Amino acid sequence: MDRLKQYRLVGFLEGISYILLLGIAVPVKYIGGNDLGVKLLGMPHGILFMAYIAYSIHFYDKQNWKTSLLFYAFLASLLPFGTIYFDLKVLKPLAQKQT
């Protein structure tokens, strides 16, 4: 699997884990008093987040991305659905150009 496919997969998984964490686990913790979901999803999400940032920096460095594109990748990692949107608008067209 090439790096761009890996980056896209990590971005997708990071986005899903973020949505699950914010949409289900955190409300259950604070409304229902059960923090099991946060414990189960927190660490994987953190690892995926760091991997997404590392891939973003890698592509900025190796693919000569503009600083603004790196900024948008970072911003996408902070917003729910952001990495999925970034994938559809930036990474998918980039992957299609490579094939």
Side-chain angles (χ1 to χ4, degrees):
M1 184 182 301
D2 70 0
R3 291 215 188 265
L4 184 56
K5 286 182 182 177
Q6 292 172 354
Y7 183 30
R8 293 183 69 202
L9 178 61
V10 166
F12 177 76
L13 294 174
E14 192 275 342
I16 296 299
S17 72
Y18 194 35
I19 292 164
L20 291 173
L21 193 60
L22 288 179
I24 297 172
V26 171
V28 168
K29 177 181 178 178
Y30 289 105
I31 295 170
N34 185 346
D35 64 349
L36 181 62
V38 173
K39 288 180 179 179
L40 292 174
L41 289 172
M43 176 78 71
H45 170 71
I47 292 168
L48 289 165
F49 175 81
M50 290 187 299
Y52 184 80
I53 296 300
Y55 271 112
S56 299
I57 293 168
H58 169 79
F59 276 87
Y60 170 75
D61 183 46
K62 301 296 182 191
Q63 301 294 323
N64 298 316
W65 276 8
K66 294 179 181 180
T67 305
S68 61
L69 195 57
L70 179 64
F71 171 78
Y72 290 131
F74 286 172
L75 182 62
S77 72
L78 299 175
L79 301 172
F81 298 100
T83 56
I84 296 167
Y85 181 81
F86 187 79
D87 177 67
L88 292 174
K89 295 296 181 181
V90 176
L91 300 179
K92 185 176 181 181
L94 189 63
Q96 289 172 342
K97 285 182 186 178
Q98 289 183 353
T99 57

